[in-house]
Amino acid sequence: MNNTKYVFVTGGVTSSLGKGIIAASLAKLLQERGYSVTIQKLDPYINIDPGTLNPYEHGECYVTDDGAETDLDLGHYERYLNIPTSQANNVTTGRIYQSVINKERKGEFLGKTVQVIPHITDEIKNRVQILGNTGDFDIVITEIGGTVGDIESLPYIEAVRQLQWDLGEDNAVVVHLTLVPYLAAAGELKTKPTQHSVKMLMQSGVSPDILVCRSEHEISDDIKRKLALFCNVKKQNVIQSLDAETIYDVPNLMFKEGLDYVVLDKLRLSTRKQPKLTAWNRFLERHKNPTSTIEIGLVGKYVELHDSYKSITEAFIHAGAANKTKVNVRWIHSEELTPESAIQQLEGVDGVLVAPGFGDRGIEGKIAAVQYVRENNIPFLGICLGMQMAVIEFARNVLNLKDANSTEMNPKVAHPVINLMEEQKDVTDKGGTMRLGAWDCQLTQDSKVFEAYKQELISERHRHRYEYNNEYKEQLETAGMKTAGINPKTGLVEIVEIPTHPWFVGVQYHPEYKSTVLNPHPLFVSFIKAALKQSKK
Ligand code: GLN
């Protein structure tokens, strides 16, 4: 048994209160106080992972180094903590049931009736403790997805109840995030929804130690006292969380409110070392005081839900701060973009990012965007499908292979410049079967990417089935689309560039997943720098 302490974060009243940001901010403060911390998300849905979910359902699918397809909150965890997460950091109900059922089939339950309690809850408890048992962390923060009162959250709350006993009083703390709404007509903040959601938690045997109250207005001492009284917590453990100007303000706000202090106090851990947030605040300073503003066109088919591109827009913020530049995003729906409308829709943007995606909806719009930026010398970054569209556009309009396409869009295409990967040919299952996770890439020295990364061998995360077709490599290169990076083992082309263009880079991998506050991604930094230059023209 090691000494890992556990923080559980539950949510009440409504979804979208920003549990992930609160968990990440708390983790950041604890990390700054010298503790090693990780964060885990338990998702109560039955999908094995969010990899098969449409982004409209759940926002972006975030990919880790070890190739796990995970919830977008893991992106926040990495961006705040600057340490990688893994499959163990995201568990769904589907995964829990899958392992319990597999064990049942192997006869591991020795003839017992398999039930939610204890078998499902035991599996949840194991998954929570896996990270702690590595011995790598002083504190594990476990965020329970969903809202207290949801039927599907019940086994998780029950597991927390049991874990509090198993771990002991000083080793576990429950933070409940709730909403204190303001009723304009009454001119009052209302505590009743919080009282009810705490009551619901208590009915399941879990009594929160700390309340974090989201609110649009200052929560007075009186209201804190009332919440403390009705919800059975200490008054100093009622923490207000006001709407912030940026999510990156939240660690400072939580420090001011003493969230990290009350958590450590409950866990009987030292509070002597203060969090400094020096590098963090340096980033904030640059982020909040930009000397220039640019506009980037983000071309994608899920633009109605900005969360679908969370890591990309956050990477813009990090790279913007590095360039002391405010990056405004012009959201452009690829289905509404045509070669004719590209001029108006893209007019005045300083750079264009063509986003990842699947299937043929909107791809002609993406191709039109690439053509426009290529011909008009506007900085371009194509990610995954965006890179593939750049290759197709070049093949069609420069090589004059008019019917070039990806076999994803047309399996019988005459010029398959993007092709299904060999190892994908026998794959029939959709879940978890793409080329996923971190792979090496060898950069060409004389290239934009080498200038950005300043190193020859990089490792980036992937999520795709289709690839650049090497049969067209010679033609593409001769016509001016250069190969700037390949997988050293397989020879797969990972990066294309057009050296005659001011900044035109397409990457098969997803650089956005690795951008953090303290390590803004070099490729994004370089792209924003190029866009900044374009804006001054
Ligand atoms: N649909 C493309 C493929 O599978 C691109 C995937 C992506 O953009 N993530 O290769």
Side-chain angles (χ1 to χ4, degrees):
M1 184 77 181
N2 56 44
N3 291 328
T4 306
K5 310 263 183 174
Y6 292 84
V7 180
F8 299 98
V9 181
T10 58
V13 182
T14 159
S15 57
S16 305
L17 288 181
K19 252 183 298 174
I21 301 294
I22 292 293
S25 300
L26 171 62
K28 184 76 215 169
L29 292 170
L30 298 173
Q31 185 189 54
E32 287 275 315
R33 284 181 182 266
Y35 295 103
S36 61
V37 192
T38 191
I39 321 176
Q40 173 189 50
K41 172 107 190 249
L42 303 182
D43 272 312
Y45 52 73
I46 298 174
N47 303 65
I48 299 290
D49 58 45
T52 52
L53 287 175
N54 185 314
Y56 288 133
E57 291 282 313
H58 209 63
E60 162 189 288
C61 172
Y62 184 78
V63 179
T64 56
D65 276 333
D66 65 347
E69 297 178 283
T70 71
D71 186 77
L72 58 72
D73 273 340
L74 272 79
H76 290 308
Y77 306 162
E78 289 202 12
R79 290 188 281 273
Y80 278 59
L81 293 182
N82 210 29
I83 54 169
T85 54
S86 69
Q87 180 64 71
N89 294 75
N90 192 196
V91 181
T92 67
T93 294
R95 207 170 274 276
I96 301 279
Y97 270 81
Q98 191 179 49
S99 26
V100 171
I101 291 169
N102 288 345
K103 280 184 196 157
E104 187 275 337
R105 290 290 82 181
K106 287 192 189 135
E108 287 183 22
F109 296 114
L110 305 174
K112 287 277 183 209
T113 308
V114 181
Q115 295 181 296
V116 173
I117 306 173
H119 302 100
I120 295 297
T121 46
D122 277 353
E123 184 64 30
I124 295 173
K125 285 158 65 179
N126 287 339
R127 297 288 182 141
V128 168
Q129 289 173 287
I130 280 175
L131 285 165
N133 291 342
T134 60
D136 295 339
F137 304 105
D138 303 317
I139 303 169
V140 174
I141 300 181
T142 298
E143 178 193 343
I144 316 257
T147 307
V148 168
D150 296 348
I151 290 177
E152 50 189 23
S153 306
L154 277 174
Y156 293 93
I157 305 294
E158 168 61 15
V160 171
R161 186 192 70 78
Q162 294 179 24
L163 275 167
Q164 284 184 296
W165 281 104
D166 299 350
L167 297 165
E169 180 72 6
D170 299 346
N171 297 320
V173 54
V174 176
V175 178
H176 186 57
L177 177 62
T178 161
L179 176 71
V180 178
Y182 178 76
L183 277 197
E188 268 182 335
L189 286 172
K190 290 295 181 188
T191 64
K192 198 73 82 188
T194 300
Q195 293 180 40
H196 282 295
S197 90
V198 170
K199 200 186 260 175
M200 196 113 63
L201 254 184
M202 285 175 161
Q203 273 167 3
S204 306
V206 173
S207 184
D209 302 292
I210 296 165
L211 296 179
V212 176
C213 306
R214 281 297 303 273
S215 173
E216 288 170 8
H217 294 269
E218 198 78 32
I219 301 181
S220 67
D221 258 10
D222 269 355
I223 293 189
K224 284 190 180 171
R225 215 169 286 122
K226 186 170 171 187
L227 281 164
L229 178 68
F230 281 97
C231 300
N232 198 32
V233 300
K234 291 185 198 158
K235 183 178 158 261
Q236 66 157 346
N237 290 9
V238 180
I239 304 288
Q240 76 169 357
S241 166
L242 297 175
D243 294 351
E245 181 190 327
T246 142
I247 55 168
Y248 297 112
D249 275 336
V250 182
N252 284 309
L253 294 173
M254 287 302 102
F255 175 66
K256 237 186 259 153
E257 286 291 315
L259 176 62
D260 53 329
Y261 181 88
V262 292
V263 164
L264 291 172
D265 188 49
K266 168 69 173 54
L267 296 174
R268 304 231 181 282
L269 288 171
S270 165
T271 52
R272 211 168 329 128
K273 186 171 178 221
Q274 294 291 312
K276 288 228 170 61
L277 292 168
T278 316
W280 184 274
N281 287 334
R282 217 178 296 133
F283 152 81
L284 267 180
E285 168 70 26
R286 296 176 75 93
H287 172 48
K288 290 187 174 181
N289 299 291
T291 50
S292 326
T293 301
I294 58 164
E295 190 177 25
I296 301 289
L298 199 165
V299 182
K301 67 169 166 176
Y302 308 112
V303 292
E304 301 91 333
L305 183 71
H306 294 181
D307 268 1
S308 305
Y309 303 106
K310 197 71 200 163
S311 293
I312 292 175
T313 51
E314 295 308 309
F316 283 154
I317 292 175
H318 309 151
N323 282 290
K324 283 205 120 198
T325 299
K326 177 163 169 44
V327 180
N328 289 327
V329 175
R330 187 187 299 179
W331 297 92
I332 298 165
H333 204 302
S334 52
E335 273 185 303
E336 285 156 19
L337 200 64
T338 60
E340 296 72 43
S341 75
I343 306 169
Q344 307 116 10
Q345 292 214 48
L346 295 173
E347 166 122 67
V349 293
D350 305 306
V352 166
L353 188 147
V354 175
F358 296 86
D360 62 0
R361 185 165 73 88
I363 64 140
E364 293 304 326
K366 287 185 169 174
I367 293 170
V370 178
Q371 182 175 7
Y372 181 82
V373 298
R374 183 178 56 76
E375 291 176 349
N376 291 285
N377 288 321
I378 296 167
F380 164 79
L381 177 57
I383 298 182
C384 207
L385 186 68
M387 172 266 198
Q388 298 175 354
M389 294 304 114
V391 174
I392 294 170
E393 192 279 326
F394 198 84
R396 285 188 190 174
N397 299 325
V398 180
L399 293 184
N400 226 4
L401 305 174
K402 285 296 171 212
D403 51 1
N405 211 335
S406 161
T407 53
E408 179 179 6
M409 317 308 162
N410 175 4
K412 296 209 174 73
V413 63
H415 290 293
V417 291
I418 303 294
N419 215 353
L420 189 61
M421 303 177 77
E422 201 48 46
E423 70 256 33
Q424 287 286 330
K425 292 201 168 135
D426 297 322
V427 172
T428 48
D429 278 5
K430 288 276 179 270
T433 55
M434 281 188 251
R435 178 174 182 249
L436 289 165
W439 296 84
D440 285 345
C441 175
Q442 177 87 34
L443 304 185
T444 311
Q445 285 227 356
D446 179 23
S447 65
K448 294 277 187 314
V449 280
F450 184 77
E451 232 173 79
Y453 286 91
K454 298 186 177 60
Q455 67 193 64
E456 245 177 84
L457 194 66
I458 58 163
S459 167
E460 291 282 5
R461 300 180 192 172
H462 296 71
R463 184 173 187 244
H464 65 122
R465 291 187 207 281
Y466 294 82
E467 64 179 355
Y468 179 106
N469 185 348
N470 272 323
E471 279 177 27
Y472 290 88
K473 190 164 172 227
E474 224 184 280
Q475 280 186 69
L476 287 161
E477 285 185 337
T478 313
M481 177 167 263
K482 172 178 167 155
T483 303
I486 56 164
N487 177 302
K489 287 217 179 78
T490 64
L492 164 64
V493 173
E494 296 266 17
I495 308 172
V496 293
E497 290 189 8
I498 298 179
T500 53
H501 184 285
W503 208 94
F504 188 104
V505 178
V507 292
Q508 183 56 73
Y509 53 81
H510 292 261
E512 71 275 22
Y513 294 142
K514 283 182 59 166
S515 187
T516 71
V517 166
L518 299 192
N519 279 324
H521 196 285
L523 201 52
F524 276 85
V525 173
S526 172
F527 173 52
I528 297 303
K529 194 169 160 197
L532 189 58
K533 205 164 153 197
Q534 168 75 15
S535 76
K536 304 239 151 91
K537 273 187 193 155

